[in-house]
Amino acid sequence: GAVVSQHPSRVICKSGTSVKIECRSLDFQATTMFWYRQFPKKSLMLMATSNEGSKATYEQGVEKDKFLINHASLTLSTLTVTSAHPEDSSFYICSATGLAVLSYEQYFGPGTRLTVT
Amino acid sequence: GENVEQHPSTLSVQEGDSAVIKCTYSDSASNYFPWYKQELGKRPQLIIDIRSNVGEKKDQRIAVTLNKTAKHFSLHITETQPEDSAVYFCAATDRMDSSYKLIFGSGTRLLVRP
């Protein structure tokens, strides 16, 4: 149980374009989803927290107009990287918690590797 | 907010030896401390966790200890095997409304030499 999927697993886009990443909870209702960014050989840095039906809460230093987060349903959250640039190339990972699972534990998606050329 | 520090950044041990990774946290209100193992290009996998009302927890070759007074917690892996080689992250909770966001340590790259 508590499976989280992400799509796509890899994406290459040109500088200036936008990319949407989906995060789905497959077997539970995710009341809260988290989005992380991980650069090579670095730790997971929390970008934002999203609760279903409300606006995301962004961490300090993360541009909310560049990284658009939508959590429209209890099983789906999306992260859109707008006007992507090479410095946005990274590994993006989502995680989810929900009412049917322990509120402390986060279940991670497999990640999306974004390369901006 | 919470700040988590992790040491060492790299650790090399001989197969069969023990490995210990240490973390400290800053917020005394944190009450949940998970440890994750991450292989290259993969998602973090929870290997063990501990809550603030417990001082030690063990699961086969893996154990975690928590010292609330000193605000530090440690991961202990005994009888290490080559497949234990990975990056390990500690984390601590930072309560936000009704959800608990995790603040991660910087990671420890463990290499188990056969």
Side-chain angles (χ1 to χ4, degrees):
Chain A
V3 178
V4 176
S5 69
Q6 258 181 266
H7 178 80
S9 58
R10 290 177 176 269
V11 58
I12 301 173
C13 71
K14 292 186 177 180
S15 186
T17 61
S18 295
V19 174
K20 180 184 285 188
I21 302 169
E22 292 186 349
C23 178
R24 293 182 184 273
S25 57
L26 299 185
D27 53 2
F28 67 101
Q29 293 183 324
T31 52
T32 304
M33 286 187 169
F34 303 87
W35 286 96
Y36 296 86
R37 180 168 51 182
Q38 186 176 32
F39 291 110
K41 297 186 179 181
K42 298 294 184 182
S43 186
L44 286 82
M45 299 301 297
L46 181 65
M47 299 175 67
T49 303
S50 73
N51 292 295
E52 186 266 338
S54 62
K55 290 184 178 180
T57 301
Y58 290 81
E59 294 298 301
Q60 194 171 10
V62 178
E63 300 175 57
K64 62 179 181 180
D65 294 331
K66 180 171 183 61
F67 299 99
L68 302 178
I69 293 172
N70 183 280
H71 191 165
S73 78
L74 284 172
T75 59
L76 173 64
S77 177
T78 60
L79 167 67
T80 301
V81 183
T82 63
S83 187
H85 288 94
E87 56 265 31
D88 298 323
S89 298
S90 188
F91 193 50
Y92 291 86
I93 309 176
C94 70
S95 71
T97 63
L99 295 174
V101 297
L102 297 174
S103 61
Y104 290 106
E105 190 167 346
Q106 292 185 22
Y107 298 89
F108 284 86
T112 296
R113 186 161 301 283
L114 170 64
T115 303
V116 184
T117 61
Chain B
E2 178 67 277
N3 182 52
V4 179
E5 295 190 357
Q6 184 172 346
H7 301 280
S9 57
T10 60
L11 180 59
S12 180
V13 299
Q14 193 70 39
E15 182 177 0
D17 287 350
S18 295
V20 180
I21 303 171
K22 299 181 179 181
C23 288
T24 61
Y25 61 100
S26 61
D27 188 351
S28 57
S30 290
N31 55 5
Y32 174 65
F33 307 93
W35 285 89
Y36 289 88
K37 175 183 180 182
Q38 187 181 32
E39 297 177 353
L40 188 63
K42 305 287 186 179
R43 77 184 84 194
Q45 290 184 308
L46 179 69
I47 56 172
I48 196 167
D49 56 14
I50 193 167
R51 306 203 178 182
S52 58
N53 59 347
V54 175
E56 184 175 357
K57 184 176 178 180
K58 189 174 182 180
D59 182 5
Q60 299 183 345
R61 298 186 296 110
I62 297 173
V64 56
T65 59
L66 171 65
N67 183 326
K68 286 177 57 181
T69 303
K71 289 188 284 188
H72 67 69
F73 56 113
S74 301
L75 177 70
H76 304 253
I77 305 175
T78 59
E79 301 172 25
T80 53
Q81 302 167 2
E83 51 265 38
D84 293 330
S85 297
V87 179
Y88 292 81
F89 293 99
C90 64
T93 53
D94 192 351
R95 177 75 183 265
M96 187 193 74
D97 300 324
S98 60
S99 61
Y100 295 84
K101 63 178 184 179
L102 292 176
I103 304 301
F104 283 83
S106 53
T108 297
R109 188 171 300 275
L110 174 64
L111 174 64
V112 180
R113 306 186 305 273

